[in-house]
């Protein structure tokens, strides 16, 4: 079968530049102009649904700031992780920007759009520990991720806990997809390289994570 099927992606998806542990990577999917245009759209989303620092179940704020677009947003507090239909202020999450949906449809196909576009902002010093994405109801859909701004050291493990991990640097404009057997792999961001990109006002990194939720 074609590589795209093995990766759990649309048979029409463009060939990834790199595949490691079932994670498909398209380095530089977005050129500088496309990155700029996307950031302008994200600024509007963030104006409508401001970034916040979710509280973990241990009562500590995450170092990453977040907000969402779509039918659902990802949320966390002492009661745990979950998807919620509204921003903490009570407003609906804004629609997912069209250029983001274009990337999803190219990779996952036209059949179903994502329910959530999680927006993660990493200012200097922010990181995300090794975890699985398992708050969704259906793991047959891939997760698609878009990197903007500073470089980030991405760590990939396996589906099981423990074992060896592998690290690689993500750059602004890179797109990743985790489908099929890679959908439940452990992953995280060890650190960013502050100042490596001038894309974002105030510096830092934005990651967009697209998921089907229910
Ligand atoms: C799912 N975000 O928000 S990219 C997250 O760069 C998250 O902000 C990271 O992990 C970030 O949950 C990583 C999204 C990603 C990467 C690899 C995965 C999701 C994945 C591998 C398997 C399943
Ligand atoms: Fe994740």
């Amino acid at each position: 079968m074609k590589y795209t099927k093995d990766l759990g992606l649309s048979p029409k998806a463009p060939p990834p530049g790199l595949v490691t542990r079932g994670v498909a990577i398209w380095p530089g999917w977005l050129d500088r102009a496309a990155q700029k245009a996307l950031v302008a759209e994200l600024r509007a989303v963030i104006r409508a649904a401001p970034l916040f620092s979710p509280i973990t179940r241990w009562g500590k704020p995450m170092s990453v700031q977040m907000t969402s677009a779509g039918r659902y947003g990802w949320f966390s507090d002492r009661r745990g992780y979950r998807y919620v239909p509204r921003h903490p202020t009570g407003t609906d999450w804004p629609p997912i920007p069209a250029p983001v949906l274009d990337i999803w449809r190219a990779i996952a196909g036209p059949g179903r759009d994502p329910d959530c576009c999680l927006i993660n902002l990493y200012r200097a010093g922010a990181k995300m520990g090794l975890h699985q994405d398992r708050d969704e109801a259906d793991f047959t859909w891939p997760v698609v991720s878009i990197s903007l701004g500073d470089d980030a050291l991405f760590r990939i493990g396996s589906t099981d806990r423990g074992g060896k991990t592998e690290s690689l640097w993500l750059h602004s404009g890179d797109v990743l997809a985790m489908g099929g057997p890679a959908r439940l792999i452990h992953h995280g961001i060890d650190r960013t390289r502050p100042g490596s990109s001038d894309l974002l006002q105030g510096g830092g990194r934005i990651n967009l994570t697209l998921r089907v939720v229910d």
Side-chain angles (χ1 to χ4, degrees):
M1 255 308 166
K2 287 176 75 68
Y3 62 87
T4 42
K5 177 134 175 66
D6 300 327
L7 297 173
L9 310 178
S10 162
K12 290 180 175 171
L18 183 72
V19 177
T20 182
R21 299 191 178 209
V23 177
I25 305 171
W26 293 266
W29 180 303
L30 296 172
D31 65 18
R32 175 82 181 184
Q35 293 170 37
K36 280 286 197 191
L38 183 46
V39 169
E41 300 238 27
L42 297 174
R43 271 200 285 271
V45 170
I46 290 167
R47 258 197 312 276
L51 293 158
F52 57 96
S53 296
I55 307 298
T56 64
R57 48 166 86 253
W58 298 277
K60 282 194 36 163
M62 296 178 68
S63 60
V64 180
Q65 296 174 262
M66 298 184 179
T67 190
S68 294
R71 291 177 56 229
Y72 289 108
W74 190 83
F75 187 74
S76 174
D77 60 16
R78 286 158 212 80
R79 285 155 49 202
Y81 310 129
R82 61 197 178 275
Y83 286 96
V84 295
R86 291 177 200 282
H87 187 273
T89 55
T91 186
D92 284 348
W93 304 104
I96 299 176
V100 174
L101 292 176
D102 290 343
I103 295 171
W104 170 273
R105 290 168 187 162
I107 290 174
R112 184 163 176 183
D113 282 342
D115 298 314
C116 176
C117 171
L118 176 63
I119 301 170
N120 291 152
L121 173 65
Y122 294 75
R123 296 291 194 196
K127 55 193 165 64
M128 187 178 288
L130 211 61
H131 67 277
Q132 292 173 295
D133 290 13
R134 47 184 309 164
D135 302 322
E136 302 78 28
D138 182 354
F139 300 135
T140 63
W141 291 96
V143 174
V144 172
S145 147
I146 305 167
S147 291
L148 295 164
D150 284 341
D151 300 343
L153 187 57
F154 178 58
R155 186 191 290 262
I156 320 171
S158 56
T159 304
D160 305 322
R161 256 180 174 285
K164 281 197 293 198
T165 64
E166 170 180 326
S167 293
L168 60 111
W169 283 95
L170 300 179
H171 304 100
S172 194
D174 293 354
V175 171
L176 271 61
M178 291 60 64
R183 178 59 180 79
L184 287 172
I185 218 162
H186 287 81
H187 59 277
I189 298 291
D190 286 345
R191 61 194 163 90
T192 64
R193 202 143 50 194
S196 53
S197 166
D198 65 358
L199 184 73
L200 305 182
Q201 299 168 3
R205 169 176 189 260
I206 286 178
N207 179 265
L208 306 180
T209 308
L210 308 174
R211 304 187 187 88
V212 168
V213 171
D214 61 5

